[in-house]
Amino acid sequence: MAQLPISYSASITLNVNGTDHQIEVDHRWTLLRVLRDVLGLTGAKRGCDRGECGACTVLVDGDPVCSCSMLALQVGGRQVRTVEGLGDANSLNVLQEAFLAEDGGQCGFCTPGFIMSATALLESNTDPTEDEIKAALVGNICRCNAYGRIIESVKAAAKSEAS
Amino acid sequence: MTTFKTIGKSEPRRDLPEKLTGEAKYTADVQLPGMLFGKILRSPHPHARILSINVDAARNLPGVRAVVTPFDAPKGQVAPDMPILDTEARYVGDEVAAVAADDEDLAEAALSLIEVKYEQLPFVTDAVEAIKPDAPQTRPGGNLVGGKPLTLIRGSVEEGFAQADRIFEETYSTPAQAGAALEPRAAVASWDGDNLTVWKSTRGVHADQLALSLALDVPRGNIRVMGQNMGAGYGTKDETRLGAITAVLAQRAGRPVKIELTRQEEFVAGRHRHGTTTTVRMGVKNDGTVTAVHATTIMDTGAYLSSGPGVIRRAGQGALYLYRCANVQYDGYLTYTNTPSGGSYRALGAPQGHFALESLADTISEALGIDPLEFRLKNHVGLEGQPGERVTPANEVLDTQPVEGGVPFSSNGLRECLQRGSEAIDWGQPSERPESGNLRRGKGMGMFIYRGGAGGRSIARMRLESDGSLRLLTGLMDVGEGSLTVMPQIAAEELGVGYGQVLVTFGDSETTPEAPLTAGSTATFSTGTATKEAARQLKARIIEVVAPLLDTEPSNLQITDDGVEHIQYPERSVSFAQIAESVGEIEVEAAISPGSRDHVINSFGAHFAEVEVDTDTGQVRVLRYIAAHDSGRILNPKLAINQVEGGVSQMLGFTLSEQMLTDPRNGVTLNASFLEHKSPTVQDFPEMQVLFADVVDPVGPFGAKALGEPPSIGVAPAVANAIYNAIGVRIRDLPLTPDRVLNEIEAQRGDSQ
Amino acid sequence: MKPFKFEQATTAVQASQTHADAAPNARFISGGTDILGEIKESVLEVNILVSLAGLSGASEIISSDLGLEIGALVTLARIASDQSIVETYPALAQAAESVATPQIRNVGTLGGNLCQRPRCWYYRSPLFDCLKKGGETCFASDEGNKYHAILGAENCHIVHPSDVAVALLALDATVVVSNASGDRQMPIGDFFVSPDVNMLAENVLEPGEFVSKVKIPKPSSGTRSVYLKAKERQAYDFALSSVAVSLEVRDETITQAHVVLGGVAPVPYSVPQVDSELTGQKIREVDVQAIGQLAVKDAQPLSDNSYKVRLTASMVARAVSRLISE
């Protein structure tokens, strides 16, 4: 009879969008896996699972990271923010409103990742130049290549936050 | 001029709010109680017979609930040349077996316990090699699909070349390009007795329902396919095997199963743009008049046929129809190899064919001393179509990719695209000379034609619901192009209500009527026409039932945002809710088979690029890009601009950096990752301007024509021609990567600097 | 992913002992962005990951008159934006900024970047049993070698993937490695080893040893440095070829030079003959094209990568040219 591979588990406290979750995790589980499969937060997407596309971007202690390329155990005790923490479809925040108005997306699979990278940018730089916007979003691949509209969306968000 | 309520307005994308908040569910987000996780074992060999598979160890692993192999899989076909699972593997990555287990880790562990005995067979990974007589055979019927090329002829090229003062011939190649939609394909299957429900990444739930029915031998009515939000596909997700395997596992396990492909799997087992080698031969008079065009394309369909026959045909469309010419021929050789399978990918062969054609056009222009823009203005096909006699009988619908002459287009804004696009890029003005001595700038252009047109039969249903709301139901899928937004615009306009008042239900084979694939840039045309007709009928029905309620003739009534009112006495009105209350729900359905007996419906455009080439490093930067399109009336400008910009940027990847590489020694795909298959990032996105020709098509819904794919056709030639203009070096093989630029500079100029 | 145990070390001694005890199937992890990829690809089998993230003092950047000490856990994002590094060690900040994406730089650490494994597509695919994985063949020798080495490679043709290492070598950095019994340090050039020395590793770390910090001597006031990187797209790409140059200029004369090449050799590649050629030259008299050619004099390109010779010569010429016109 074949044997189950031995796996290791641990209990961690994960703070997601301001709420502490006590979770039992397999040591090899990534933060993305825990967010999606354990907490049901499916806004972060598994686009590549290698940190190469940015669809899984969340903020850890305020910085955008690829949640697919960090183990949940590396994040225990830190503050995680996901797209679910920003608002819902009936109460979009300023950034999301700007994406809607400027058509900053197509198929939408990359969109939560872009929103999180842009959130981090605008929290640290309220008036970014186009080059700064591009530099901040370069880790997010949009295969529909809606980049033009995405750049305009972030610009519009900065503008409307400033006013 | 007609004024519209919503047509032509940039209504916000209907599905975007929930995509911005993460609420939108994609197939991989579907969670069902008791759901298992499936994984697929893939062939490590490019061509092998599977002699046996021992799954005992995998099956005995606690938590493994189902296994399927070619030896015990149902015998149905998921495609004419592809069973659900096969005892022959035809490329590295081909599906060999699958398991379902309690979780992903277990499923993966189970795969590693499956023992497969392979007998390796001879293989070939290059299409040009594959059609040579002594090439290893990938199939009993030979490598060349159909045993002969697809040959399409108008007039006689022999005559055309005889009339020519000069004849030019060049050969160009394009690599396989992965669509690499950001969402890897996923499928979820769940059985309830004899009834199967499948959630999958798809652009056609009814097509999937039919394909699964045939594959699994389950009556179509017992299968429900639910399209979720689709993380795009560009055509590359059209296949049935994944859904069929998932369904078989779910049936065996007696529990729902989800299979979510990894990125690596999506690269190799997804469909991609076919690699091609195209030779174009053109005859011209000294004054630039084109007398003959003969194109030959060898196209690598990979291990399976998929949509190859359609793609090989479209690779010839430019050669057959873009230039006004009585004598043309196209020979397309579609070839099997032991590489990942090609398939539908945005514009299906047209970009490959146009790259060769429009590059050669520049060579000819230069040789004749004619400006490339003038050469196109002189020779492009006009509204009247090609010279010659109509072949299609007068009462039959015309093909959308015509070969014959004598058939006019419904509209043709190509000349306007050439003129306005060239003005926008200051065509007559040479590029500025950059400060650094190693940088060279240049401008280039390419024009194109694309079969857009009618698309397949589509049914749209419209309803006044019992609560007074208006709803459009269609089986269509929005795969990111925006039909979920444009269809209610069409419906609202026809009804005479505001855009926001029309609710939509899409993409469910059980509750929505049959629509064709969101494919071939035809959704607006086919389902849009059906939607318009359904809205017209609903409007008529509503007015008809309201007339007695308001004690008047239908001709005195009009629809408003709120309901129906008397035209002369607006105080005599009734709300939609009241109508529904009094007469109950009203539902109409319109089925249309679009197409024209009088006109060919095609889209056109011209692209212009300005590039900067670093002759020290070989790096190419696109400085400015003008995309001028005739897609008829633009129904939603913001979405249309997004679509064009996205198509251009996507194909800048094809032109400058993307290619799938197969190791010829063992058939392994070397670069199945976003890191190595180098798609454009936001920093690669150039300054871009999108122009739309002022064309209202007389046939299309509200004057619209195809838009989704055309943006991808003109990119490679415009950029390649701009590079030539900048450095005097012509690179005939895509992508135009730094190594190629440097190598060609050295080879063609003998310049050691 | 096969199961493994993740062990959070709290002291260097504990980290080292845990690793040494479980060798060879133990790995250190700091940011993890590279090592998790290897585990997911089944290129690397590990039983235990020893996390260094809890070690005190490893996350600091200390700037003094002697120079700079950067803890191994400092992220690439911090290195790229740290004011003292941007001003005094520009090549290092530029190299860190050129790595991957913001998301990766926010997690990836200095130590992890130095210890990342090769990106060679044969090495990274479980379907190629290549030399670097203990196999018999280098699949890049005859074909499919566009991204491979043109310098300093005998049997295995990987290129070292680190951008930061190239800059650090040009800046004469020292690597401090720790184990349970203490520290040892070495010039960064001695830290990296080519496959001819050790096929299975890219550096000299022994079981139980990890990089704890990097020290960079304070450059003299006349020193300037730059890092340039050639890529196939504007961002998010490993180097086709890169170059870090540090020049000390006094009275319009180059008094010290260090030119280092990246993306072209199995290790960050110093070219001493270029350094000595530059040293003593008046900056207005430097023939940068000749310097570029000299840098690739020993190049032995493979079937698909001769472009790298020309490219690298150009990159060197451009970097030197930029510094002497500063």
Side-chain angles (χ1 to χ4, degrees):
Chain A
M1 175 109 184
Q3 289 298 305
L4 270 175
I6 299 162
S7 61
Y8 300 88
S9 66
S11 180
I12 58 165
T13 305
L14 205 57
N15 186 288
V16 182
N17 300 324
T19 306
D20 276 340
H21 300 269
Q22 198 70 32
I23 303 168
E24 191 74 10
V25 297
D26 186 312
H27 285 202
R28 66 192 141 155
W29 287 356
T30 61
L31 173 58
L32 176 66
R33 176 139 178 206
V34 170
L35 291 174
R36 288 180 57 83
D37 295 353
V38 180
L39 299 178
L41 300 171
T42 55
K45 303 300 183 197
R46 185 155 79 171
C48 72
D49 209 32
R50 295 292 184 280
E52 296 172 355
C53 79
C56 66
T57 301
V58 301
L59 307 189
V60 171
D61 295 340
D63 293 326
V65 305
C66 287
S67 59
C68 74
S69 292
M70 291 185 88
L71 297 172
L73 283 169
Q74 292 176 278
V75 193
R78 298 167 76 179
Q79 307 284 319
V80 179
R81 284 166 65 198
T82 73
V83 72
E84 286 86 355
L86 299 184
D88 61 47
N90 297 316
S91 58
L92 300 179
N93 71 16
V94 171
L95 178 65
Q96 291 162 329
E97 282 290 358
F99 268 72
L100 181 61
E102 297 298 327
D103 200 38
Q106 288 185 29
C107 80
F109 199 80
C110 69
T111 306
F114 271 99
I115 290 288
M116 296 317 290
S117 287
T119 296
L121 169 68
L122 295 179
E123 284 177 358
S124 64
N125 181 353
T126 53
D127 186 22
T129 63
E130 182 160 327
D131 282 348
E132 286 169 339
I133 293 172
K134 287 182 171 182
L137 302 181
V138 77
N140 294 81
I141 298 277
C142 171
R143 281 298 291 142
C144 302
N145 284 256
Y147 295 125
R149 301 296 97 201
I150 292 168
I151 295 166
E152 291 310 312
S153 301
V154 179
K155 279 187 194 165
K159 212 169 163 186
S160 81
E161 268 176 355
S163 62
Chain B
M1 172 131 186
T2 328
T3 54
F4 292 115
K5 264 176 104 83
T6 174
I7 289 296
K9 294 197 169 64
S10 292
E11 303 290 1
R13 203 177 276 267
R14 191 61 76 95
D15 48 341
L16 195 48
E18 61 169 20
K19 289 175 171 176
L20 290 163
T21 59
E23 292 160 275
K25 295 293 178 211
Y26 295 78
T27 304
D29 302 333
V30 171
Q31 288 287 352
L32 300 175
M35 191 172 76
L36 304 173
F37 206 98
K39 279 269 176 198
I40 296 170
L41 183 70
R42 295 179 180 280
S43 172
H45 304 299
H47 195 194
R49 190 164 294 123
I50 298 165
L51 301 176
S52 67
I53 302 184
N54 184 341
V55 297
D56 293 347
R59 205 189 289 279
N60 289 336
L61 196 65
V64 172
R65 310 289 172 188
V67 183
V68 58
T69 75
F71 300 104
D72 59 23
K75 294 301 167 207
Q77 296 284 118
V78 291
D81 61 348
M82 190 191 252
I84 294 174
L85 285 173
D86 202 350
T87 50
E88 190 169 325
R90 296 187 173 85
Y91 71 97
V92 175
D94 211 349
E95 290 82 4
V96 169
V99 302
D102 290 352
D103 68 31
E104 194 179 347
D105 303 318
L106 261 174
E108 206 177 294
L111 285 192
S112 67
L113 296 174
I114 296 176
E115 293 165 38
V116 185
K117 281 211 178 79
Y118 294 98
E119 178 196 345
Q120 294 195 49
L121 301 172
F123 65 96
V124 59
T125 60
D126 180 89
V128 174
E129 292 301 316
I131 55 172
K132 291 181 179 166
D134 53 348
Q137 297 297 293
T138 62
R139 309 211 163 227
N143 297 336
L144 181 60
V145 174
K148 60 179 174 40
L150 167 74
T151 295
L152 300 168
I153 296 171
R154 177 173 69 249
S156 153
V157 284
E158 287 76 17
E159 270 178 38
F161 286 120
Q163 292 162 17
D165 293 322
R166 299 183 66 179
I167 294 170
F168 296 85
E169 180 181 313
E170 289 180 349
T171 297
Y172 290 82
S173 79
T174 67
Q177 175 201 18
L182 204 60
E183 175 204 35
R185 268 171 304 152
V188 177
S190 178
W191 290 84
D192 179 8
D194 294 335
N195 293 315
L196 169 66
T197 304
V198 172
W199 295 256
K200 73 185 286 262
S201 320
T202 180
R203 57 177 188 165
V205 289
H206 291 96
D208 277 328
Q209 183 197 35
L210 176 61
L212 286 168
S213 162
L214 295 171
L216 300 168
D217 195 23
V218 172
R220 206 174 163 179
N222 290 29
I223 300 177
R224 179 179 190 180
V225 179
M226 313 244 288
Q228 299 297 294
N229 282 292
M230 167 77 154
Y234 325 109
T236 62
K237 286 177 175 169
D238 292 350
E239 61 84 39
T240 305
R241 193 177 247 183
L242 178 65
I245 289 172
T246 312
V248 171
L249 288 172
Q251 191 168 37
R252 291 189 180 177
R255 284 163 66 173
V257 172
K258 172 159 76 182
I259 300 184
E260 194 183 336
L261 296 191
T262 65
R263 174 52 48 192
Q264 286 70 15
E265 287 179 294
E266 183 61 40
F267 265 104
V268 298
R271 304 291 172 256
H272 57 258
R273 187 181 298 290
H274 296 77
T276 60
T277 303
T278 296
T279 299
V280 187
R281 189 171 156 84
M282 260 172 121
V284 288
K285 297 271 197 196
N286 284 328
D287 70 357
T289 306
V290 175
T291 64
V293 183
H294 186 181
T296 304
T297 293
I298 299 168
M299 179 176 279
D300 184 356
T301 195
Y304 294 97
L305 198 52
S306 186
S307 56
V311 180
I312 186 81
R313 181 162 179 206
R314 289 197 201 187
Q317 201 193 0
L320 292 172
Y321 230 73
L322 183 59
Y323 288 89
R324 187 175 56 251
C325 184
N327 301 302
V328 297
Q329 181 168 339
Y330 171 65
D331 298 301
Y333 294 78
L334 185 66
T335 308
Y336 285 115
T337 60
N338 297 107
T339 64
S341 181
S344 302
Y345 182 2
R346 207 169 189 169
L348 308 182
Q352 296 97 310
H354 277 76
F355 170 56
L357 180 70
E358 285 297 275
S359 296
L360 182 66
D362 263 34
T363 298
I364 295 172
S365 304
E366 189 187 25
L368 298 180
I370 301 175
D371 182 275
L373 175 65
E374 291 306 320
F375 181 75
R376 270 108 175 164
L377 285 169
K378 182 181 175 67
N379 285 298
H380 75 79
V381 67
L383 183 66
E384 70 285 359
Q386 293 290 350
E389 290 292 310
R390 175 171 171 150
V391 178
T392 306
N395 59 347
E396 279 183 24
V397 169
L398 287 162
D399 195 281
T400 51
Q401 307 175 73
V403 179
E404 67 201 280
V407 289
F409 293 105
S410 55
S411 58
N412 179 343
L414 180 51
R415 195 168 193 86
E416 186 184 338
C417 293
L418 288 165
Q419 285 165 337
R420 286 178 56 200
S422 59
E423 280 163 25
I425 203 146
D426 305 315
W427 183 255
Q429 298 285 84
S431 292
E432 273 175 49
R433 192 164 174 88
E435 284 172 29
S436 163
N438 307 310
L439 300 177
R440 297 280 183 278
R441 289 184 181 177
K443 294 177 185 173
M445 65 167 297
M447 63 176 183
F448 53 87
I449 183 172
Y450 191 65
R451 165 219 197 273
R457 178 170 187 269
S458 189
I459 306 170
R461 195 178 296 155
M462 285 229 49
R463 232 189 246 156
L464 173 67
E465 303 197 311
S466 52
D467 64 352
S469 51
L470 299 160
R471 183 177 295 277
L472 164 67
L473 297 103
T474 158
L476 194 65
M477 286 294 299
D478 187 325
V479 298
E481 81 296 339
S483 57
L484 205 46
T485 308
V486 170
M487 292 305 144
Q489 279 187 275
I490 290 173
E493 191 67 53
E494 187 65 27
L495 278 167
V497 301
Y499 161 72
Q501 283 174 266
V502 177
L503 309 176
V504 280
T505 303
F506 262 40
D508 177 344
S509 70
E510 189 162 300
T511 61
T512 63
E514 182 149 357
L517 296 179
T518 305
S521 308
T522 59
T524 298
F525 210 104
S526 67
T527 302
T529 302
T531 297
K532 190 164 183 281
E533 174 57 19
R536 192 192 64 76
Q537 289 180 21
L538 181 64
K539 180 179 177 177
R541 280 284 304 284
I542 290 174
I543 286 180
E544 190 184 298
V545 302
V546 167
L549 297 181
L550 292 182
D551 200 16
T552 183
E553 292 300 313
S555 59
N556 291 329
L557 296 177
Q558 66 183 8
I559 296 233
T560 70
D561 285 358
D562 306 313
V564 178
E565 69 179 21
H566 195 287
I567 295 171
Q568 275 132 357
Y569 313 105
E571 67 281 1
R572 286 167 64 185
S573 67
V574 54
S575 72
F576 288 123
Q578 288 167 328
I579 300 168
E581 206 176 321
S582 3
V583 302
E585 192 173 279
I586 301 175
E587 184 175 287
V588 299
E589 200 170 87
I592 56 101
S593 294
S596 172
R597 291 173 178 78
D598 308 320
H599 298 107
V600 176
I601 303 149
N602 276 190
S603 292
F604 300 90
H607 283 191
F608 297 82
E610 182 171 18
V611 304
E612 183 175 273
V613 183
D614 186 326
T615 57
D616 276 350
T617 65
Q619 287 162 311
V620 175
R621 217 154 59 88
V622 179
L623 302 174
R624 253 197 320 159
Y625 202 95
I626 312 291
H629 283 256
D630 163 23
S631 289
R633 190 197 300 281
I634 298 306
L635 303 185
N636 184 319
K638 208 161 248 174
L639 267 62
I641 289 169
N642 197 345
Q643 184 81 324
V644 174
E645 288 182 347
V648 170
S649 177
Q650 198 176 64
M651 292 302 277
L652 285 172
F654 172 70
T655 306
L656 294 173
S657 56
E658 294 173 341
Q659 59 181 326
M660 282 178 74
L661 294 165
T662 301
D663 194 310
R665 294 166 292 190
N666 58 7
V668 173
T669 300
L670 292 172
N671 58 343
S673 73
F674 279 127
L675 192 64
E676 295 163 302
H677 185 276
K678 299 181 183 182
S679 303
T681 71
V682 69
Q683 288 188 331
D684 298 271
F685 189 83
E687 183 188 319
M688 205 183 302
Q689 189 181 349
V690 178
L691 303 171
F692 291 112
D694 192 13
V695 170
V696 177
D697 190 83
V699 184
F702 293 107
K705 292 194 293 186
L707 176 64
E709 295 162 292
S712 57
I713 305 171
V715 183
V719 171
N721 287 337
I723 292 173
Y724 181 80
N725 183 245
I727 59 173
V729 166
R730 166 109 12 227
I731 307 167
R732 299 192 175 89
D733 306 300
L734 295 183
L736 308 170
T737 44
D739 59 319
R740 291 221 166 103
V741 174
L742 288 175
N743 289 343
E744 288 300 323
I745 286 175
E746 231 164 66
Q748 294 186 30
R749 296 208 309 207
D751 178 354
S752 64
Q753 279 303 299
Chain C
M1 225 189 315
K2 297 222 170 91
F4 54 77
K5 189 174 180 198
F6 178 94
E7 185 118 341
Q8 184 76 60
T10 49
T11 67
V13 171
Q14 184 204 355
S16 174
Q17 276 170 355
T18 310
H19 184 272
D21 290 348
N25 291 322
R27 289 289 186 280
F28 291 112
I29 178 170
S30 42
T33 55
D34 183 53
I35 203 165
L36 288 178
E38 278 200 294
I39 295 170
K40 288 174 184 176
E41 300 290 357
S42 308
V43 172
L44 177 65
E45 279 203 30
V46 292
N47 296 334
I48 183 161
L49 285 179
V50 182
S51 172
L52 301 172
L55 300 195
S56 60
S59 306
E60 286 165 16
I61 300 176
I62 301 165
S63 182
S64 73
D65 289 346
L66 294 174
L68 197 65
E69 281 190 21
I70 311 175
L73 293 177
V74 173
T75 63
L76 298 173
R78 267 182 73 200
I79 292 174
S81 62
D82 182 271
Q83 212 46 41
S84 65
I85 298 179
V86 170
E87 282 166 14
T88 315
Y89 311 87
L92 176 58
Q94 290 156 8
E97 181 75 28
S98 80
V99 175
T101 66
Q103 288 93 322
I104 301 296
R105 295 195 294 273
N106 282 332
V107 176
T109 63
L110 172 62
N113 186 273
L114 297 181
C115 297
Q116 65 183 305
R117 303 305 308 278
R119 301 305 310 191
C120 166
W121 49 30
Y122 306 112
Y123 170 72
R124 291 270 167 171
S125 165
L127 296 175
F128 292 90
D129 185 23
C130 79
L131 276 177
K132 193 96 197 119
K133 288 184 297 220
E136 300 288 317
T137 314
C138 174
F139 292 87
S141 299
D142 303 323
E143 55 187 299
N145 48 39
K146 175 181 165 182
Y147 300 114
H148 289 80
I150 56 169
L151 283 160
E154 288 292 327
N155 302 310
C156 159
H157 297 87
I158 61 155
V159 297
H160 199 278
S162 173
D163 294 296
V164 169
V166 178
L168 287 173
L169 181 51
L171 297 169
D172 296 320
T174 297
V175 176
V176 180
V177 303
S178 301
N179 65 12
S181 52
D183 297 344
R184 60 179 176 130
Q185 53 182 305
M186 67 206 74
I188 190 166
D190 295 343
F191 175 73
F192 295 107
V193 296
S194 85
D196 306 320
V197 177
N198 183 351
M199 187 58 76
L200 300 179
E202 290 75 55
N203 56 56
V204 298
L205 291 173
E206 298 286 339
E209 270 190 330
F210 57 90
V211 174
S212 53
K213 68 178 108 164
V214 170
K215 301 200 278 193
I216 314 173
K218 179 131 186 162
S220 63
S221 61
T223 300
R224 40 193 91 167
S225 69
V226 69
Y227 180 76
L228 300 180
K229 176 174 175 178
K231 296 166 286 197
E232 285 190 321
R233 57 181 162 187
Q234 298 292 331
Y236 195 20
D237 211 356
F238 282 87
L240 295 175
S241 171
S242 71
V243 57
V245 180
S246 168
L247 292 183
E248 182 191 63
V249 180
R250 291 193 180 157
D251 301 332
E252 305 268 291
T253 302
I254 297 169
T255 48
Q256 270 193 61
H258 198 171
V259 174
V260 181
L261 311 179
V264 292
V267 294
Y269 196 82
S270 279
V271 267
Q273 67 270 32
V274 174
D275 300 346
S276 40
E277 179 69 20
L278 280 168
T279 306
Q281 287 205 41
K282 293 277 182 202
I283 57 172
R284 281 184 209 147
E285 290 164 11
V286 177
D287 178 349
V288 294
Q289 301 301 335
I291 291 294
Q293 295 299 329
L294 184 62
V296 294
K297 189 171 62 69
D298 299 332
Q300 291 181 304
L302 302 163
S303 57
D304 301 343
N305 68 6
S306 59
Y307 76 97
K308 278 195 178 189
V309 179
R310 182 186 165 124
L311 172 61
T312 304
S314 298
M315 297 287 288
V316 170
R318 187 168 292 186
V320 171
S321 169
R322 186 169 298 184
L323 288 184
I324 60 183
S325 57
E326 256 181 24

